[in-house]
Amino acid sequence: MDGIALMPEAPQMFHDPTIVGSWPALAARLDANAALPRWAEFEPALVGLAAVADLVEVCSKSSEHKRSNAVLAALVRLAAVDGGRDDDALALLLHLLSGLVWTMVRQLRDLSPDIVAVVVGELTCQIRRYPWHRRPRAVAANLRADTRRAVLAEFRPRDRRHPERGEFLTVDGDVTRLIPADPWDGAEDLDIADLLQWAVRSGVDAADLELLVATECGRDLQQGGDSKVAAEYGISTRTLYRRRNRTIAALRTVARDYLAAVA
């Protein structure tokens, strides 16, 4: 599952200079400077990758799931402020994650006319400060969750008086322990219908799942969406939040088995 948006959805996106400048120029410069062999002296995951094209090939293969995450984690360590602080590693990461950027831009385009710059800027910040010491797995998925959460927090702050009404289904964005943050957005990295069917087969109450989906959909419609959904189901908002939290907890319990099964 960590192949999430690693590579762009179309070749032209990968060569789009909107994200962080020219990809061909960056790749040529890194190869000319033997950047990958040099980085491999400190990062064993990069051993054997003589050129940028080799790295791209590894990251684009779904069969190279573990290897691509190891490569991505190595680049994050090189780019992070408490790692190598390497600007070239950062630029390379932003290009590799450009598919993630464009997917998020499409999903959040109504939030700002400058949403591309906002997403790229936030992703850059998340890479620079990524907690690679304690979150070495599912790096791409965690970067996606962290970036999305930060962008939404900027434009749609949580209700501090009622934190249970917040946008997000994870506490710290670590998708290796919990289900992905805000999974009801139709992202291509997770088949929501399949996950819900898996949950029902695992014993999660179908009616509770239906209510959870309704509250997630209703939240984007208007202010007071939760109250509207509660009224439609003939329950109080307190009961809605109690059932919602119970269902989220149940999904978190079955999520690890589901992710392992579809990886």
Side-chain angles (χ1 to χ4, degrees):
M1 292 297 291
D2 196 44
I4 168 182
L6 263 178
M7 302 302 296
E9 298 172 353
Q12 63 266 28
M13 287 187 177
F14 200 55
H15 293 274
D16 190 330
T18 306
I19 299 296
V20 62
S22 169
W23 165 254
L26 174 64
R29 178 164 55 81
L30 292 178
D31 287 347
N33 295 335
L36 288 173
R38 175 165 44 85
W39 290 340
E41 296 178 8
F42 308 97
E43 292 291 346
L46 302 180
V47 171
L49 303 179
V52 171
D54 300 328
L55 183 147
V56 171
E57 183 177 4
V58 168
C59 290
S60 63
K61 289 183 177 179
S62 59
S63 61
E64 295 281 353
H65 167 74
K66 291 184 178 180
R67 181 81 190 279
S68 64
N69 182 73
V71 167
L72 196 65
L75 292 175
V76 166
R77 286 189 291 271
L78 288 166
V81 293
D82 59 348
R85 293 175 178 259
D86 194 300
D87 292 339
D88 284 338
L90 173 64
L92 183 56
L93 271 169
L94 290 173
H95 273 294
L96 290 173
L97 296 171
S98 60
L100 180 156
V101 170
W102 288 117
T103 296
M104 198 173 301
V105 164
R106 285 200 311 274
Q107 295 166 350
L108 306 180
R109 61 183 178 274
D110 293 335
L111 296 181
S112 169
D114 300 318
I115 192 62
V116 175
V118 171
V119 171
V120 173
E122 189 55 50
L123 177 59
T124 299
C125 292
Q126 296 299 333
I127 291 171
R128 287 297 201 189
R129 66 187 185 214
Y130 187 81
W132 51 270
H133 291 285
R134 58 184 176 82
R135 291 167 69 185
R137 299 174 56 217
V139 173
N142 279 316
L143 283 171
R144 174 193 179 276
D146 291 344
T147 300
R148 183 180 176 84
R149 181 171 58 252
V151 172
L152 286 173
E154 179 177 347
F155 291 102
R156 293 155 61 181
R158 294 167 66 102
D159 185 340
R160 294 183 179 180
R161 292 185 178 181
H162 302 282
E164 73 276 13
R165 302 179 189 177
E167 295 282 344
F168 314 109
L169 303 184
T170 65
V171 174
D172 61 1
D174 189 343
V175 295
T176 65
R177 293 202 304 271
L178 308 176
I179 60 177
D182 197 11
W184 315 110
D185 57 15
E188 73 261 7
D189 56 285
L190 184 64
D191 188 332
I192 299 301
D194 191 45
L195 171 60
L196 295 179
Q197 291 171 4
W198 177 286
V200 171
R201 291 195 298 269
S202 299
V204 180
D205 188 273
D208 285 345
L209 287 170
E210 180 183 352
L211 179 61
L212 176 60
V213 172
T215 59
E216 293 296 327
C217 294
R219 178 171 291 116
D220 289 332
L221 296 177
Q222 59 184 15
Q223 292 290 334
D226 289 341
S227 298
K228 185 174 183 295
V229 171
E232 291 175 351
Y233 277 77
I235 59 177
S236 67
T237 53
R238 182 186 296 273
T239 298
L240 182 147
Y241 294 136
R242 184 171 63 250
R243 288 179 60 183
R244 178 179 183 274
N245 290 337
R246 181 179 66 199
T247 308
I248 290 172
L251 282 174
R252 287 170 177 163
T253 299
V254 303
R256 185 180 297 276
D257 290 339
Y258 171 79
L259 293 174
V262 301

